[in-house]
Amino acid sequence: MRLISKSLEKDASGYITLYPEELEDMWHVYNLIAKDDTIKATTFRKLQSESSTGSTTSQRVRLNLTVTVESVDFDPHVGLLRINGRVAEENQHVKMGSYHTIDLELNRNFTLSKSEWDVIALERIEDACDVTKQADVAAVVCQEGLANICFLTEHMTIVKQRIETPIPRKRKGSVANHEKGLQKFYEQIYQAILRLFHFDILKAIIIASPGFVKDQVYQYIFDQAVKTDNKLLMENKSKFVLIHSSSGHKHSLNEVMQDQSIQTKLADTKATREVQALDQFYTMLNTDPNRAFYGYDHVAKANEQGAVGTLLVTDELFRSADIATRKKYVALVETVRSMGGSVRVFSSMHVSGEQLQLLSGVAAILNFPIPEIDIEEDEEERETEQDEAA
């Protein structure tokens, strides 16, 4: 993402013009846009005109249009971002207040205006425009007959291709058919790797599976590389890491990312730091539950006592259509930081973010135990029950 221009006032209102270049940039944009923001971008509109003879003709006209956002739809697989809203500035072709849909596209400027740019939004722009923070990992998560070719960026887990191949059972007299099915399956994975992987960008390539499937896939890849004299693959052989997973489905990536050998290899990536933080939270929840809280109310109470060491929060909470909800989570982040705590903002499109979302989207690892929070809650419940009984 490129920052084209920026103009913010002292009250944090203003506009920022951005130029999205990669698929992940569209994910950042999706997180930036909120209801009641205004967007100015190039769009197309079909206009109808009537000739002197009474016939009607229509033509697509290219417009620079500004709309007030009412809703945002995002398809992460193709990077399509569709903004629905009312026209907010005069235009010779479109009436003020009429509804229009703008499709934001890669490699095209747009200007986003907000009444208040909060710290989370500004940090996201800083991250998106800093190329040094983009560390990519690829993964082939597979089992016999099923493979998911995935890309793990800082903020997203994208399934780029799903391969499903029927493998005949290994029966007496049909071993050859079983082997033939496996070879076809491995070949599809091999071709997907050649077509989709950019080895100059990738830091690691994970092959994960239950049993020996990963080993057989790896062996096939490099047997083919030797046969075809594929020097690019051979030069990047050290980037391949074989890891056990419980299945060939996308959700198995979460357990894969917790493997120590992967964490060592990817020590500097945001994805690994998120997994480590979540793993630390679950460990604390099991071993010292008075130092691990989740849910806004519990975390906020711990924060009031200056106990939060690490705050874990998903970016989905900052996309809330309710302004008050967005502000309370932004305030929580700022308070934790002001007290010396660290904050991990998880992407809801990442496997670790999906897991955190199951815990209400916000959790905290405390610097010291606070058993009083549960006691206070129990007392409040008892008081409420007594009032109702009375």
Side-chain angles (χ1 to χ4, degrees), residues 19-31:
Y19 182 85
E21 299 173 295
E22 306 287 343
L23 176 62
E24 189 171 359
D25 292 341
M26 302 306 282
W27 170 247
H28 287 299
V29 174
Y30 172 57
N31 279 276

Side-chain angles (χ1 to χ4, degrees), residues 27 30-31 74 76 124 154-158 250 270 274 313-319 344-358 361:
W27 170 247
Y30 172 57
N31 279 276
F74 178 56
R124 182 171 285 276
E154 285 193 24
H155 302 275
M156 299 174 72
T157 302
I158 304 165
K250 174 192 167 186
K270 180 178 183 291
E274 286 183 1
V313 59
T314 64
D315 55 19
E316 189 165 308
L317 296 172
F318 303 111
R319 291 199 304 272
R344 300 277 184 227
V345 179
F346 286 59
S347 168
S348 57
M349 283 292 292
H350 205 284
V351 283
S352 55
E354 291 172 0
Q355 195 167 358
L356 180 58
Q357 195 61 40
L358 298 175

Side-chain angles (χ1 to χ4, degrees), residues 293 298-308 335 339 366-374 376:
F293 292 151
H298 276 138
V299 172
K301 283 181 181 178
N303 187 44
E304 287 171 7
Q305 299 183 44
V308 176
T335 308
M339 293 182 178
L366 307 190
N367 288 322
F368 50 85
I370 308 182
E372 304 89 55
I373 286 184
D374 287 328
E376 286 173 9

